[in-house]
Amino acid sequence: MSNAVTLWRQLDRIAPRVGVGRALSGHAARWSMILLVAVLITVFFGPSGSWPGAIGHVLVNFLVLAVFGAMLALYRPKLYASVRAVALFALAFVTILGVAAAAGRSNSVILVRAELIPVAMAAVLFSVLFDARISMVAATVMAVLIGIQTPYAGTPALFLTLVSGAAAAFSVRVIRRRDQAYRSILITAAASTLAEIAAGLATGPATVGNIWRGVVWGAINSVVSVALALMLLPPLEEFTGVDTYLKLLEWSDLNRPLMQRLSVEAPGTFAHTMRLANLAEAACNAIGANGLLARVGAYYHDVGKLRKPEYFVENQRPGRNPHDKLKPSMSAAIIRNHVREGLELADQYGLPDAVRAFITEHHGTSQITYFLQKAKERDTTPVNVAEFAYPGPVPQTAETAIVMLADGVEASAHVLRDPTPKKIREVIDHIVRQRIEHGQLRQAPLTLQQVEVVKEQFARMMIGMYHHRIDYPSATGGVTSQFASDDTGETPVFGGTPPTAPPSPVRDPGDAPLPAAAETPAKDSGGEGAVNRESGLDAPVGAGTPAG
């Protein structure tokens, strides 16, 4: 995958299974739209005097459009399955050909201006919303449709619109910065200028003045086309359901209300998501997936914990665990429901569909095994396993799959007393192997080679996160590894003469002896041997601690 493919895969991400009758009706609806476009184009340019001539024009236009429709059906099936996307293509063709018909209403071939046709506008929109290949094919079909119309017969309209449309399509693949619009304008204007000069010299009779007029009109068309495309982009994003790079960039703003709530009401979860986002983005970029989508998805994947933050261990104070007073089934329900509650918050705050997918897929269908095991030990009646499993679905994209892996890895690494590079790599191998064995990656488009790259990126990032610092001399106001308050509660000395009797350091809760495995709550990352940060203390990975 490539970032240049700007999320067209997010259209209709999970295609429903439909019957033959419904599938045929869907094809009929799409090809009816294509036929309607062919009829409208014929009307725009004026039908022939006879019915056979009018039918012939409709058929010619339809066959040209059918090339584009067949390309969508064969090579972009998910895009073809989106009725809204097909409707946008139809609307764009009708609009561009309508402008071409208006620009071609002149009795003089010299006054027919192909430079006024904004094929570049459609090309820019299709490149940003879908991808450059789709845009290139659409621009080519538009150019052919324009060139075969009667007003443009004997003119270089096909050549001029083809060059400007192709240049616009490839000038802007993914808009990451506002100044990229200037780059697109310059490339499109330069291509139009070269095409105009080439066409003028090739036709022979054209004067220098006429060539320069064409160059000026082409430059104006480039500016207007790119500007209009950027203005139309936000409403068309909403219409098609496509989440472009710019839209994701807006949702990556940590000052958004939901992120502000998470940082204040669930600070432990917020810190976890920040570390997780760094891991997921680095891994996605390394395999050519969408790193920004993974980062934004990681930001919002656990927002459901805002409803009951105190039931998740990263937000708990030492020694206070509300799960101690609950039945295992109730604890599992609270942990499991953070997915449903996350979707409710996503609806409330209007999260994009591509980001919502991370809320439902980052746990897949894994079991909350700690509380499942605890329920089996306490109850004599058979336990309903479905009550101790996440609803799913399993990850459907590379980005959600990587966030699932990063979530388990980042959480489980916190149990390491001495996070050496070797131990970190062992944790990563354990979590990834566990997810694969449990079938959580069976529908994700990841190869084994890509999984190895992801593991290597996790190791590189986490080894850097869990680095050691040197002791700074206390005489100069620094902090050493022995820095702590004494038993009397007095503040340690920052420099100067230290006390004659060094205070006994207060041990961090993580240094205390761990309780028995059966009393150590598990993490929600799911699977055997993981750690449950949702409730309780940390425990060694793979030490027999049941996990959720």
Side-chain angles (χ1 to χ4, degrees), residues 323 325-336 368 370-379 383 387-388:
H323 287 281
K325 301 178 180 180
L326 300 178
K327 294 181 178 179
S329 58
M330 181 59 67
S331 293
I334 292 173
I335 293 175
R336 184 180 65 248
I368 309 173
Y370 171 73
F371 289 113
L372 175 60
Q373 183 63 29
K374 197 171 183 180
K376 290 179 179 179
E377 294 173 355
R378 292 188 178 185
D379 298 341
V383 177
E387 295 180 356
F388 295 85

Side-chain angles (χ1 to χ4, degrees), residues 35-98:
L35 179 59
L36 178 61
V37 172
V39 172
L40 291 175
I41 292 173
T42 303
V43 172
F44 290 158
F45 285 94
S48 301
S50 61
W51 281 107
I55 294 174
H57 279 86
V58 171
L59 185 58
V60 168
N61 293 331
F62 177 77
L63 290 176
V64 175
L65 289 167
V67 173
F68 184 71
M71 190 278 302
L72 283 181
L74 294 175
Y75 300 107
R76 293 292 189 271
K78 292 184 179 180
L79 192 56
Y80 175 79
S82 172
V83 176
R84 291 190 178 190
V86 175
L88 174 61
F89 284 119
L91 180 62
F93 275 92
V94 169
T95 302
I96 300 303
L97 270 295

Side-chain angles (χ1 to χ4, degrees), residues 474 493 495-501:
S474 59
V493 179
T497 304
T500 55

Side-chain angles (χ1 to χ4, degrees), residues 107-170:
N107 295 325
S108 173
V109 175
I110 298 178
L111 297 178
V112 174
R113 284 292 177 189
E115 299 89 348
L116 299 177
I117 305 173
V119 175
M121 180 188 72
V124 170
L125 280 174
F126 295 157
S127 285
V128 176
L129 287 172
F130 309 119
D131 64 74
R133 293 181 183 179
I134 287 290
S135 181
M136 177 62 190
V137 175
T140 301
V141 173
M142 285 182 183
V144 173
L145 282 171
I146 293 168
I148 63 176
Q149 305 305 321
T150 303
Y152 294 98
T155 70
L158 189 155
F159 172 70
L160 295 176
T161 53
L162 176 62
V163 172
S164 63
F170 289 108

Side-chain angles (χ1 to χ4, degrees), residues 342-417:
L343 290 177
E344 293 174 357
L345 287 172
D347 291 335
Q348 179 182 343
Y349 286 87
L351 261 66
D353 289 341
V355 178
R356 286 168 52 95
F358 288 84
I359 298 175
T360 59
E361 297 175 17
H362 79 278
H363 283 302
T365 57
S366 60
Q367 294 180 344
I368 309 173
T369 53
Y370 171 73
F371 289 113
L372 175 60
Q373 183 63 29
K374 197 171 183 180
K376 290 179 179 179
E377 294 173 355
R378 292 188 178 185
D379 298 341
T380 57
T381 58
V383 177
N384 184 3
V385 178
E387 295 180 356
F388 295 85
Y390 289 100
V394 296
Q396 305 291 311
T397 65
E399 291 82 7
T400 54
I402 289 173
V403 166
M404 167 188 272
L405 297 176
D407 187 30
V409 166
E410 196 282 326
S412 299
H414 281 277
V415 305
L416 299 177
R417 304 268 183 102

